[in-house]
Amino acid sequence: MRKIIFLLVAFLAFAKGNSQILDPVKWTTKIEKKSETNYLLTFNGVIENDWHMYSQFTPDGGPLPMEVIFKNQDGNFKLIGKAKEGKTTTAYNDVFEVNETFFVKNAKIQQEISITNPKISKIEVALNYQVCKESCINLEKKFTFTIPSVAIVKSEEKVVKIDTAVTEAVISKSETSKKTETPLLKTEVIPSKEVAQKGLLSIFFLSFLGGLLALLTPCVFPMIPMTVSFFTKQSKTRAAGIRNAIIYGISIIIIYVLLGTIVTAVFGADALNKMATNVYFNLIFFLLLVIFAASFLGAFEIMLPNSWANKVDKQADKGGIIGILFMALALAIVSFSCTGPIVGDILFASASKGGIGPVVGMLGFSSALALPFMLFAFFPSWLHSLPKSGGWLNTVKVVLGFLELALAFKFLSNADLVLQLHLLEREVFLAIWIAVFGALALYLFGKITLPHDSPLTHLSVGRLSLGLVVLSFTIYMIPGLWGAPLKLINAFPPPMEYSESPLGFGSSGNKTSTAILPNGAKLGPHQIVFFDDYDKGLAYAKTVNKPIMLDFTGFACVNCRKMENNVWSDKKILPILNNEVVLISLYVDDKRDLPKNEQFTSKTTGSDIETIGDKWTDFMISKYKTNTQPLYVLTDLNGNSLNETTPTISYISVEEYENWLKTGISKFKK
């Protein structure tokens, strides 16, 4: 009886101390023998209602993607490709400004391996991932697969040692978890059908606009009256001419949709989506866009072989539906020097969404391209209202070239941000864009001429108006060099923190200078001085005799950013954070390794503490018995909480935050 009571007390103590530690995913595993050396490992996760778990392929700069880590791979087995995933959902996150990929309700991960060491008997795997509802948890689950002679369905159980204030409890579990909760937007999970519809509609609309731009290029625009006149004059009746023009337009759509289908089939529904987040793919696309831009600006023309066009022309002479189809193909080949760069951009952008994006993108593009040929066949009198071909068509092409060049540096910036090379920081990026759009303004005003331009005797009203818009945009960007937020283009340049100086060039006044920051301190949002190391922050707090505000945060924490943007920036809060407390921000998703002599096994969770993020996660869970983020704690110089009734707070309003800060600070001053 005493033993039962003892165990009951231990269990209650453990449950109380971990009452806020959540675990919304339950896993089962399976190993299947595929051949003498190859095995298929399968992880099936059941996710609680309203939660979602991020995929391996969530883009850089967003929430944490899943990692599949094989602990004992070296010398024992090799991986056959990358781990494959079951059905996922995609939604746009307007805080991180990326398209997130995640699982809802069920998750399936499969990895095929090939055994190279015949003596190995077990495969040790860890899944690191983020699962979210109104908040997020970073989890590490460990699995051990026993290599069978036949397929088995079982997870190796692992004993986790849990220390509590009362006693020790040994709990049998199939996991050890390093858990950290990071609030996200409550409305983040969108039903799969709704997400797909919204994403595909936006792809179609933007691609349709791309098709309209392609119509206004010198390779396509002159073809409209020529082609429509051909059908109306060569056909025996007006009805036959209309029919042939419609078949021609449909043929254009079929050709481009077929191209999108081929791209999807060759690369797979999600392959380009995965490549879109890859450093090397971003670099390659940067180079392609620079080449496209140079072509549009007149340096050279990107053309398909003339032999292709000649062969297609011969087929077009046969007449009938087949002949019309080949006429449409001839248009695609002949106009490639103008449409190719736009088609390439659309294929990349739509493929980055995954699924049938390339097909929908080409449907939108080709619909806009084909529409005029069909409409003018119905209403041939409209042809008289078309503007005459001339130098303005090359102007459209050149403007597109400048836009391609500016967009290219977005992809170079993506690669630089991922690698953290700091070669294309915010000021450099903005300087390049100011130069590009400034040159475009000069071109529109006639101060710069390019190889294929016609003599410009006067400025049209349209050209002058566009030039003024571009010049205004260029002037708008200039204050960004001095730290202006530039909200109109905030998604394009690197973030404010990724700059040569977070304060901008030539900053002065009340802002803190980086030259006088305390040892170990950094500048954070709104130029607030903070420490990302507890010991350094504590040492500084003791020298200035100020209370400490612990900020348990994460790089991938949406509500952390919302608190910083909406609450910390408030005129009532910002002076307090700047002058009355020492801010210590501890990032629980910091993946940098701890020195070997500082790594340890957590007494609270039994997890291996190997990274800086692990260290702050364990600190939060062991001391404050929660894994919620953002988590704020006001402490004195001995680490004691200053707010007795509410020692910790999370995502709250400005008024609540102000009262909580003032209550704790007033107690510290007594």
Side-chain angles (χ1 to χ4, degrees):
M1 186 65 181
R2 290 178 60 191
K3 185 175 181 181
I4 293 174
I5 294 173
F6 177 81
L7 291 174
L8 181 61
V9 170
F11 174 78
L12 290 174
F14 168 74
K16 181 179 180 181
N18 294 273
S19 59
Q20 298 182 60
I21 307 301
L22 304 177
D23 184 8
V25 186
K26 305 302 178 187
W27 291 93
T28 59
T29 60
K30 179 170 66 173
I31 181 169
E32 299 174 83
K33 188 173 183 179
K34 306 293 287 185
S35 67
E36 288 301 316
T37 58
N38 286 21
Y39 294 85
L40 182 66
L41 311 181
T42 301
F43 307 82
N44 287 303
V46 177
I47 306 169
E48 292 182 9
N49 289 338
D50 300 325
W51 290 82
H52 62 286
M53 181 175 69
Y54 287 104
S55 153
Q56 301 169 90
F57 309 115
T58 285
D60 296 316
L64 292 179
M66 173 184 287
E67 294 179 288
V68 184
I69 302 170
F70 291 84
K71 299 287 189 178
N72 61 333
Q73 178 182 349
D74 291 346
N76 292 319
F77 58 91
K78 62 181 180 180
L79 307 181
I80 309 299
K82 190 172 178 66
K84 297 180 180 179
E85 296 182 349
K87 183 179 179 181
T88 57
T89 300
T90 299
Y92 183 72
N93 185 314
D94 58 0
V95 174
F96 288 123
E97 297 176 334
V98 297
N99 288 299
E100 304 169 333
T101 303
F102 51 87
F103 300 94
V104 178
K105 293 186 178 179
N106 295 287
K108 185 174 184 179
I109 313 294
Q110 289 187 314
Q111 175 68 64
E112 186 174 351
I113 64 169
S114 178
I115 303 298
T116 56
N117 177 11
K119 296 182 180 180
I120 187 175
S121 60
K122 293 183 178 181
I123 307 293
E124 296 177 1
V125 190
L127 294 183
N128 289 344
Y129 57 90
Q130 192 175 76
V131 58
C132 308
K133 188 182 179 182
E134 295 176 359
S135 54
C136 281
I137 308 168
N138 300 337
L139 291 166
E140 179 188 79
K141 300 289 182 73
K142 294 181 179 178
F143 304 90
T144 301
F145 292 85
T146 300
I147 298 177
S149 55
V150 295
I152 62 171
V153 182
K154 188 177 180 181
S155 290
E156 182 76 6
E157 291 193 336
K158 187 174 182 67
V159 175
V160 184
K161 191 174 182 181
I162 307 293
D163 286 354
T164 70
V166 179
T167 185
E168 290 188 341
V170 179
I171 300 177
S172 178
K173 303 183 82 171
S174 62
E175 66 201 31
T176 58
S177 51
K178 292 181 282 189
K179 306 175 181 179
T180 311
E181 194 167 336
T182 311
L184 289 184
L185 295 175
K186 295 183 180 180
T187 58
E188 187 180 349
V189 179
I190 305 174
S192 301
K193 290 184 179 178
E194 185 180 346
V195 171
Q197 289 172 355
K198 288 185 177 180
L200 293 178
L201 281 174
S202 64
I203 290 172
F204 181 87
F205 178 72
L206 293 174
S207 301
F208 190 86
L209 291 179
L212 294 179
L213 288 174
L215 283 171
L216 301 178
T217 59
C219 310
V220 180
F221 188 82
M223 300 292 291
I224 298 174
M226 291 171 55
T227 306
V228 173
S229 297
F230 172 82
F231 285 127
T232 55
K233 292 179 180 179
Q234 297 297 321
S235 302
K236 295 180 179 180
T237 64
R238 182 172 182 273
I242 292 174
R243 183 196 64 203
N244 290 338
I246 292 174
I247 294 173
Y248 181 74
I250 293 174
S251 299
I252 292 173
I253 294 173
I254 290 172
I255 289 167
Y256 283 101
V257 169
L258 184 62
L259 174 62
T261 304
I262 292 172
V263 169
T264 302
V266 170
F267 292 100
D270 293 319
L272 285 177
N273 178 36
K274 299 165 188 175
M275 286 195 293
T277 63
N278 183 276
V279 170
Y280 300 106
F281 194 71
N282 274 284
L283 290 174
I284 291 170
F285 204 71
F286 162 73
L287 292 174
L288 284 176
L289 283 179
V290 171
I291 293 171
F292 291 161
S295 172
F296 273 160
L297 293 174
F300 49 82
E301 286 193 355
I302 302 174
M303 299 180 66
L304 295 175
N306 287 330
S307 59
W308 292 16
N310 294 333
K311 290 178 181 178
V312 170
D313 279 338
K314 290 180 181 178
Q315 297 297 322
D317 292 337
K318 294 182 177 179
I321 294 177
I322 298 299
I324 294 173
L325 179 63
F326 276 100
M327 283 182 65
L329 183 58
L331 172 70
I333 293 173
V334 171
S335 65
F336 185 80
S337 62
C338 293
T339 60
I342 300 174
V343 168
D345 293 347
I346 291 172
L347 283 175
F348 175 82
S350 57
S352 68
K353 310 288 185 182
I356 61 170
V359 177
V360 175
M362 288 297 94
L363 177 62
F365 175 83
S366 58
S367 296
L369 205 62
L371 191 59
F373 295 96
M374 294 187 281
L375 283 177
F376 285 115
F378 272 101
F379 308 102
S381 61
W382 288 5
L383 287 172
H384 300 296
S385 62
L386 277 178
K388 294 181 180 180
S389 299
W392 69 272
L393 290 173
N394 190 68
T395 300
V396 172
K397 191 176 176 182
V398 169
V399 169
L400 290 176
F402 276 107
L403 294 177
E404 292 264 4
L405 186 60
L407 184 61
F409 285 94
K410 171 61 179 172
F411 294 95
L412 183 62
S413 173
N414 289 344
D416 183 59
L417 280 167
V418 172
L419 296 174
Q420 291 289 297
L421 297 177
H422 289 267
L423 298 176
L424 193 63
E425 293 176 317
R426 186 179 177 87
E427 293 89 347
V428 177
F429 183 96
L430 289 175
I432 292 171
W433 266 40
I434 290 168
V436 170
F437 284 98
L440 175 56
L442 292 174
Y443 172 79
L444 291 171
F445 291 138
K447 302 302 180 182
I448 296 175
T449 56
L450 290 170
H452 301 299
D453 285 332
S454 302
L456 187 66
T457 58
H458 67 279
L459 288 181
S460 66
V461 174
R463 183 164 181 157
L464 175 63
S465 300
L466 182 59
L468 290 173
V469 170
V470 174
L471 179 61
S472 300
F473 178 66
T474 305
I475 295 172
Y476 167 79
M477 288 190 289
I478 293 174
L481 298 174
W482 284 266
L486 305 181
K487 293 182 180 179
L488 288 179
I489 59 168
N490 196 42
F492 287 93
M496 298 284 286
E497 297 80 14
Y498 196 78
S499 63
E500 294 181 3
S501 170
L503 303 177
F505 296 146
S507 294
S508 59
N510 295 327
K511 293 183 178 180
T512 305
S513 168
T514 54
I516 59 173
L517 285 176
N519 183 38
K522 300 179 179 180
L523 280 175
H526 318 296
Q527 282 73 54
I528 300 172
V529 177
F530 78 99
F531 294 83
D532 61 1
D533 182 274
Y534 181 79
D535 293 331
K536 291 180 180 178
L538 175 61
Y540 177 72
K542 289 180 178 179
T543 63
V544 295
N545 193 34
K546 291 182 180 179
I548 293 169
M549 192 181 85
L550 292 179
D551 164 33
F552 291 97
T553 185
F555 297 113
C557 172
V558 176
N559 275 4
C560 299
R561 302 293 87 76
K562 290 178 70 179
M563 281 291 291
E564 292 162 5
N565 294 336
N566 301 330
V567 177
W568 285 15
S569 61
D570 189 90
K571 61 182 180 181
K572 293 180 287 188
I573 304 299
L574 192 56
I576 298 175
L577 298 180
N578 273 326
N579 305 315
E580 300 188 43
V581 299
V582 173
L583 176 62
I584 302 178
S585 295
L586 305 177
Y587 288 84
V588 299
D589 53 4
D590 190 330
K591 296 297 183 182
R592 290 176 296 170
D593 289 332
L594 286 168
K596 288 293 183 181
N597 62 339
E598 294 183 22
Q599 296 180 10
F600 62 96
T601 300
S602 171
K603 294 181 179 179
T604 304
T605 65
S607 299
D608 296 328
I609 307 303
E610 300 172 342
T611 67
I612 293 174
D614 293 343
K615 177 181 177 180
W616 305 135
T617 298
D618 186 63
F619 178 32
M620 176 174 55
I621 292 175
S622 60
K623 188 170 181 64
Y624 300 108
K625 305 297 187 264
T626 184
N627 53 1
T628 301
Q629 292 174 334
L631 185 73
Y632 305 112
V633 189
L634 267 179
T635 75
D636 60 21
L637 301 179
N638 295 316
N640 301 313
S641 296
L642 292 171
N643 300 77
E644 296 179 357
T645 55
T646 51
T648 65
I649 59 169
S650 188
Y651 187 72
I652 58 175
S653 67
V654 171
E655 291 73 20
E656 293 173 303
Y657 200 71
E658 180 188 17
N659 292 334
W660 180 82
L661 284 171
K662 288 183 176 179
T663 300
I665 293 170
S666 63
K667 183 178 178 182
F668 179 83
K669 291 179 178 179
K670 289 181 180 179

